[in-house]
Amino acid sequence: MKIYLKDGNHLDVEENISIFDLSGKLSTSLQKKAVGALVDGKMVDLRFILEKDCKVEIVTSDDKEGLHVLRHTASHVMAQAIKRIFKDAKLAIGPSIEEGFYYDIDLDTSLVPEDLLNIEEEMNKIIKENLPIERFELEREDAIKFEEDQSEPYKVELIRDLPDEEKISFYKQGEFVDLCAGPHLKSTGGVKSFKLMSLAGAYWRGNEKNKMLQRIYGTAFYKKEDLDNYIKMLEEAKKRDHRKLGRELGLFVMREEGPGFPFFLPKGMVLRNILENFWKKKHEECGYSEIKTPIMLNEELWHRSGHWDHYKDNMYFSEIDDQGYCIKPMNCPGGILIYSEDLHSYRDFPLRMGELGLVHRHEKSGALHGLMRVRCFTQDDAHIFMTQDQVKDEILGVIRLDEYFYKLFGFKFNVELSTRPENSMGSDEDWEFATNSLKEALDESGLPYKINEGDGAFYGPKIDFHLSDCIGRTWQCGTIQLDYQFPEKFDLTYIGPEGNKLRPIMIHRTVLGSIERFIGILIEHFAGAFPTWLAPVQVRIINITDNQADYAKEIAKRLKESGIRCEVDLRNEKMGYKIREARLQKIPYMLIVGDKEKEQGSLSVRTRKSGDIGALGVDEFLNNILKEIDEKSLDTL
């Protein structure tokens, strides 16, 4: 049979060869690092037997998918340790997740952090035993009986709910056997560096009507150095937690009266307005017209758009005059209605319409997280209508705009292209052209990118931008989606060069994604110490005694007249106390004025980063800070 490899070549091999043996045929060094493979896009482990022609990509410990195999195995090692310590524990599910793994268990004893140390100790014994991990399958009724004999009711329920055609597989390591589809490492000894992180509650199957189980979170890496770096990153992330800093810096709060609905405080509104006003200015320069569409629109519109069939579980509803209405989860249908208000010619294209549109989406309470996951947020949306020969240039224009914004804030980023999902609408021809157009634009941009098969929107393929912050975490922000479906569904047309009616092509795109979420990312990226142009308060003037109060006010007046956001701290407190408080508030500049400064008409300048940088004349300081703001520098003087 033929095995097609990642590089496009193929290999002729005998039937019923395992992934492990195949990796040895390719390279001895590859076999040593191999932990699994992607077979026709599906992740399998080294035990998997190849029975027909297929595409195979060997996965090693260096790959992201390889980390998934390790962590899935670590979750089984943890479950085995739990069963050794707590004989009556009932196991639910234990998957690998983005940051590690977890296992949900039903246990009469309430676990405490100290229990994690005991579980870790037992896990180390299991790893040291280097137990072979073996896979086997059972018929449905045999599988149910097996789990009933093991007193595992959650596993029995999972088996009963599996599709009829699903193979029911188990993995065995020593005395421990678990229902699982895999993939896993070859033995428990492959779990090198791990740590159990925390405890939480979780309803069985995420349904609050079901029993609350205990969830243990952990993480694992192939190298101890990677684990140590991850733990350091988490410690740094705690210091940067935007929820904590948001309250301390007077930016925003979350209230029990509105879970998932953020309240922006005065300083937070200053930051938000700076960001939004800059967004508007830059988009105007790039040829966008700003629009505003209603928050609530008739239910029929959402049936027509396809959101009702694909998204209604995430929507909020209302009723007006006995008619159903939906609170918009997306801005697209409103933008389309604005397009349809006028008769358009090909000479109008490309037509770029931008909107800072407030949307609402129903999120489960457990998923809410500060500004990062909310129930209402402002999307920096835009919809571009164009002819087919303008597609590549418009995509390139959006890519360049995204690059500009991300570099401005000091973000590195990577790009992913997501292709047609199973639950989609439209013809194969349209999807092929749309996907190829995105590929061509990315190739011309020179940006490296990864392809995510089957992860596109239901109406078109998309490009996603993932930002890396200063401590290495990634955040998905901008997206570019090429859409042939909405113009068809809404019967959008334009007059072509021959006077005939043609169908426009449409781009949906965001740069920041969500204004709220982007502010949360900025807070954590800068640890609340925003660059001067973004800082809600740019300067705080501190007098030493009451003798300099008038001079301090005079300086403040002059700075404010020049557009500088400044405060004056005239409190009867020690200078050191006032400086320390200004630094805690992450204010970029502190101007200290005493008798000497008053007499000389100067300022003693301190920055939050470097401390005292010496005396400057008022004009010199003003020129410097205005230049810094104008250039949108990431560093203070």
Side-chain angles (χ1 to χ4, degrees), residues 221-235:
F221 292 87
Y222 286 103
K223 299 176 183 175
K224 185 177 184 301
E225 179 186 3
D226 292 337
L227 176 63
D228 291 341
N229 289 338
Y230 175 75
I231 291 170
K232 286 178 185 175
M233 184 273 287
L234 288 182
E235 290 169 354

Side-chain angles (χ1 to χ4, degrees), residues 66 203 251 278 304 309 398 423 491 498 630:
Y203 291 109
L251 301 174
F278 176 69
R304 211 183 335 159
D309 295 328
V398 178
N423 184 20
D491 194 26
E498 307 299 323
D630 183 61

Side-chain angles (χ1 to χ4, degrees), residues 61-94:
S61 55
D62 294 330
D63 298 319
K64 183 179 178 182
E65 293 86 357
L67 208 51
H68 164 76
V69 179
L70 168 69
R71 289 169 172 173
H72 200 171
T73 304
S75 77
H76 275 219
V77 172
M78 180 173 73
Q80 184 176 11
I82 291 168
K83 292 288 282 186
R84 284 184 178 183
I85 298 169
F86 304 99
K87 307 295 184 186
D88 296 331
K90 304 288 187 292
L91 300 178
I93 58 171

